[in-house]
Every structure is written in structure tokens, then in C-alpha cells.
Amino acid sequence: MGKLNGKVALVTGGGGGIGSAIARLFAAEGTSVVVADLPAREPDTPSAAEKVVAQIREAGGDAVATHEVIGEWASGQKLIDRAVEAFGRIDAVVTAAGNLAVSSLVDITEDEWDSINDVHMKGQVSVLQAAARQMIAQGEGGSILTFSSRAAFFAPAPAYAAAKAGVLGLTSAAAIELGAHGINVNAIFPSAQTGLFPGDASSRPIAGGTPFVPDIDPAGIAPIVVFLASPDGAPITGRWVYAAGNDIAFYDLPLTLANRPTLLRGSERWSIESLDEVIPSLLGLSVR
Ligand SMILES: NC(=O)c1ccc[n+]([C@@H]2O[C@H](COP(=O)([O-])OP(=O)(O)OC[C@H]3O[C@@H](n4cnc5c(N)ncnc54)[C@H](O)[C@@H]3O)[C@@H](O)[C@H]2O)c1
């Protein structure tokens, strides 16, 4: 008897490194899983999603594959329809499909911008909308896990960074809106060796103050995702959660003031001159 016995989960990017690990763990915990990923590149070969479904079934689990293209608005509803058609309901949605472009601001093209933002932004919001409508109609709560990245704040790749930062706004807004329906919504910041990010741990920049982790097997991301979708994780919502190897961290909530106070409350309107007197020392900048 697993922690999520009888539940139904959709995992987009479920044929990929992180998504497949999550799909397998959901199934091992008794959840029926819709594994969503791109169709096979070659005719008459199994798709990545079909391979994961075969692994899950071999291990005694229940799963189906589907091949909607994430980034087309209509795909969100089609994916939820697939879950309802196969298993009668939806309880957990994980939006782990992702692509990457690392062009700099001065080089990026409109096509690259659209491709990244379609998959990460439109792709996630369209799935979240369809999932939320279905979960609200079921009236039994649910869980949504979005995928962001520390690249939102630390990478010189504007399309990917902007899309991943946008995912955080989407996650916060969804958490606020859906809390009343018992649906928790959290964003994952993963680090794992996958097709999208092939390098081993030694190639990872230390970003966001998290320590070096030697183990970045994508399987390390799955437990916290499945926990957050379980009854024990239900009270946790609107959080940004880092996961890499065996490391998990809950980032401070956004817009909280740092330990070193940075709030300036003027007794009258600030002037450029009066700001110049206080801001350098407030931020620890050397005085020009
Ligand atoms: N691996 C990391 O270190 C890392 C770091 C930060 C964020 N992420 C994010 O984690 C998520 C999972 O990535 P991953 O590392 O497992 O990469 P991955 O390439 O192994 O998996 C991503 C999957 O998404 C699928 N996909 C891509 N575009 C699609 C589309 N339009 N429609 C349907 N499926 C599509 C791919 O086929 C692939 O199977 C992504 O959102 C990624 O941006 C990963």
C-alpha cells in the first residue's frame, strides 16, 4: 500500500531525466500515471514516454503514455482529458517538460524566445488551467508541481531565465487562487544530470548559496515532488523548493526582507541626495 494509492498523476516531460524518475516513483507509491512527452523521432520505435510506461508496468504499476506537444494551449486540456479517460480523475500534476536555449541578450532571436516561452510558460499555464478546473470539479483538492530553475536569477540566458522566473509568478498566483480548493502549488528548482543538462556535478555553478553536491542523479528530485503531492505535503503551498542529489532546501519566501534590514522608511519624500547618503552603506557598497 503506497502513500498515494489510488491517486492519478500527470507528469509532463515524463520521458525525460527528472520526469521519468518522478513518474516511476509515483507509480511505486500506488499512483496511476499519465506519462506525457514528445512522440518518437523514428517511426515504429517506442517514444520516451512509452519506454517509461513499459518500465512502470514491468514493475507492477499502472501508466499510460501520451504525446501532446507542450506549448500549444489546447494540449493542456487534452492531457487532463487523457488522465480522466484512462483513470477517471486527476490528483497530481507535475509540469517537467522543458527545452533550452542559451543565446545571450544580444544574440537571441524571436523564434528562440517564442520556443522557450511557449514550452515553459504557455506550456505550464495551459496544463495548470485544465488541471485546476478538473480538480475543482472533483472537489477533493489536489497538487501541482511546477518546474523553475536557479537560472531564473543566475544564468546569462534571457529567454530561459525569463521563462523560469515567470513560472514563479505563475506558481504563486496559482497557489493563492487554488488554496481555497485544497490544491497546493509549489515550484521545484532541480539540479540533475539529464539530456537537457548533461554535465556532471563538477560542471555546475554554485548558485543561490547552495553547497556543492556530488550526486545529481535525477532520481534525487522525485521524493520531494511525490511528498508534496501526498497528504502529508498538502499544507505546503506557494513554496520554492530546491532539490539536487540528496539535498533539499526550502528557499525563503520571495519579498521577505533579508536578515540585514534593507527597509528604508523616510520621514519625508526621499531625494536623490538623501538616498545617496544612506544606500551605499545600507548595501555595503564602497563610497565613490
Ligand atoms: N536538469 C537540471 O539540472 C535542471 C535544472 C533546472 C531546471 N530544470 C528543469 O527541469 C525540467 C526537467 O528537465 P530535465 O533536466 O529532466 O530535462 P530532459 O530533457 O531530460 O527532460 C525534459 C523532457 O521534456 C520533453 N519536452 C521538451 N519539449 C517538449 C514539448 N514541447 N512537448 C512535450 N514534451 C517536451 C523532452 O522530450 C524531455 O523528455 C525542465 O523544466 C527543466 O527546465 C532542470
Side-chain angles (χ1 to χ4, degrees):
M1 195 74 162
K3 275 253 179 211
L4 291 101
N5 221 45
K7 301 272 185 195
V8 178
L10 162 69
V11 183
T12 76
I18 297 173
S20 64
I22 294 168
R24 283 191 292 267
L25 188 58
F26 265 123
E29 291 293 334
T31 303
S32 301
V33 188
V34 178
V35 182
D37 210 297
L38 293 171
R41 287 205 187 124
E42 304 295 328
D44 302 323
T45 57
S47 68
E50 284 164 344
K51 287 183 195 166
V52 174
V53 166
Q55 290 167 350
I56 289 174
R57 288 184 181 160
E58 234 168 77
D62 198 5
V64 294
T66 188
H67 301 114
E68 305 304 333
V69 175
I70 299 293
E72 292 171 7
W73 190 270
S75 293
Q77 190 60 53
K78 287 181 190 165
L79 287 168
I80 299 303
D81 288 349
R82 181 81 174 112
V84 173
E85 168 200 292
F87 303 119
R89 55 186 293 112
I90 189 73
D91 299 293
V93 166
V94 178
T95 51
N99 60 350
L100 180 66
V102 291
S103 298
S104 67
L105 180 63
V106 293
D107 288 334
I108 192 162
T109 63
E110 184 178 0
D111 281 352
E112 275 182 4
W113 176 270
D114 286 347
S115 155
I116 296 299
N117 279 279
D118 279 358
V119 173
H120 292 279
M121 286 292 333
K122 202 204 283 186
Q124 298 205 60
V125 73
S126 58
V127 174
L128 262 58
Q129 182 187 62
R133 287 175 175 171
Q134 179 64 27
M135 287 172 182
I136 291 169
Q138 291 170 186
E140 293 174 34
S143 276
I144 295 174
L145 282 307
T146 61
F147 270 74
S148 184
S149 171
R150 289 177 296 164
F153 306 108
F154 295 103
Y160 189 73
K164 289 305 201 185
V167 167
L168 298 175
L170 169 64
T171 305
S172 300
I176 292 165
E177 179 179 336
L178 301 180
H181 300 281
I183 300 167
N184 67 335
V185 190
N186 293 287
I188 305 296
F189 289 63
S191 188
Q193 188 170 13
T194 65
L196 209 57
F197 292 97
D200 66 16
S202 64
S203 68
R204 303 294 159 121
I206 301 298
T210 48
F212 175 77
V213 270
D215 164 21
I216 51 170
D217 182 337
I221 317 297
I224 185 65
V225 168
V226 176
F227 171 82
L228 288 167
S230 75
D232 293 339
I236 302 166
T237 195
R239 299 304 300 261
W240 301 0
V241 186
Y242 164 78
N246 296 330
D247 281 3
I248 292 167
F250 285 82
Y251 288 122
D252 278 349
L253 286 173
L255 307 190
T256 51
L257 294 180
N259 289 337
R260 186 163 46 84
T262 55
L263 175 66
L264 293 172
R265 176 164 287 162
S267 53
E268 56 188 34
R269 186 79 67 229
W270 291 97
S271 68
I272 307 298
E273 290 75 23
S274 60
L275 284 174
D276 196 31
E277 274 169 29
V278 291
I279 285 185
S281 63
L282 181 81
L283 298 182
L285 305 174
S286 56
V287 182
R288 285 153 287 151

